[in-house]
Amino acid sequence: VSARAAAGNAKPRCWRIPSDEVVVNAMGLNNEGAEAIAEKLRSLKVEGHQGRPVGVNIAKTHDPNILGAAAVEDFATSFRLLAPLADFVVLNVSCPNTTEGKTFEEPAALAELLGAVGRTRKALAEKVPVLVKLMATADDQAGRQTQRELLQVIEDAGFVEGLVISNTVKNPEAKLSKKGREEANAIGKGGVSGRVIHKRSVAAIRSAYQATGGRL
């Protein structure tokens, strides 16, 4: 869910590559927006249909013009509207919806975002658990160092209770077969999920657990 409604990218925006058992998606965060989803969640509570835990995954609105402080406020707006209606909230900081393709997976940007969400959370009466969704960093020394830096920022925020690992990986980073790479290159931009990122995702989960001593 994002603060503003978004139609998403033009179709087709999701593809299968059967030879590599992967999916490439460039959905563009199509959703009805935080206010509309909040109204639906309120209706579920009133009607007594909310018998299972409800988690809300929020991301920045799919608009390349929302940058910097406006992007942080976009996240905070969604959190303010939806956190009181959820059993837990996931901050999807690894979804690139800006012109330059940047995410909040940079220490300074992540610290600014978590600071704003933390202040918003403090102002709310209900202290809903918060998790942060990260991509699987590369399973090498540089990737683990990047992950450690982000985890330090997350722990320093003082209120995050867990992680969601992992998001998709960028198309060019996926290690596909020759045939699979040809198909992926023809598709172009998008996030890759499936068998090809399993090993990388498991490694990222392991290294995050080790880096935080199981605290997250």
Side-chain angles (χ1 to χ4, degrees), residues 4-216:
R4 304 180 191 175
N9 293 322
K11 296 180 180 181
R13 55 194 181 191
C14 189
W15 304 263
R16 292 183 183 276
I17 302 180
S19 61
D20 290 54
E21 297 183 34
V22 304
V23 170
V24 181
N25 93 80
M27 300 300 291
L29 282 173
N30 47 304
N31 74 102
E32 298 176 30
E35 289 189 4
I37 299 302
E39 184 57 36
K40 288 186 176 183
L41 292 177
R42 279 191 289 268
S43 297
L44 286 175
K45 284 192 172 184
V46 170
E47 295 171 8
H49 296 316
Q50 192 173 324
R52 298 178 180 178
V54 173
V56 177
N57 183 353
I58 63 176
K60 188 186 79 65
T61 296
H62 186 61
D63 183 340
N65 298 311
I66 300 176
L67 302 168
V72 172
E73 180 55 30
D74 187 89
F75 252 101
T77 296
S78 292
F79 190 88
R80 189 179 303 113
L81 289 168
L82 295 166
L85 303 167
D87 294 297
F88 65 92
V89 175
V90 178
L91 306 179
N92 185 352
V93 302
S94 53
C95 193
N97 292 322
T98 60
T99 302
E100 70 277 20
K102 289 185 178 180
T103 69
F104 282 97
E105 286 187 307
E106 297 175 351
L110 182 58
E112 184 180 0
L113 174 64
L114 292 179
V117 171
R119 291 188 294 274
T120 304
R121 182 175 180 271
K122 188 175 182 179
L124 297 173
E126 299 180 38
K127 305 304 180 186
V128 60
V130 176
L131 294 80
V132 174
K133 184 175 184 179
L134 301 172
M135 71 175 289
T137 48
D139 186 20
D140 55 28
Q141 185 174 349
R144 287 187 286 274
Q145 177 60 32
T146 297
Q147 186 189 63
R148 283 194 293 269
E149 292 173 359
L150 295 173
L151 293 174
Q152 187 62 60
V153 171
I154 291 169
E155 289 208 89
D156 288 347
F159 66 89
V160 177
E161 297 187 23
L163 303 169
V164 176
I165 299 176
S166 77
N167 211 327
T168 57
V169 300
K170 295 178 181 178
N171 188 340
E173 296 179 17
K175 296 180 179 179
L176 303 171
S177 66
K178 181 179 179 181
K179 182 176 185 296
R181 174 45 57 198
E182 289 174 351
E183 291 187 50
N185 287 344
I187 292 168
K189 292 183 179 180
V192 177
S193 59
R195 182 180 294 275
V196 70
I197 70 167
H198 176 263
K199 182 178 179 180
R200 177 168 166 169
S201 296
V202 171
I205 293 169
R206 182 184 301 111
S207 61
Y209 181 86
Q210 293 171 342
T212 63
R215 292 183 296 275
L216 294 175

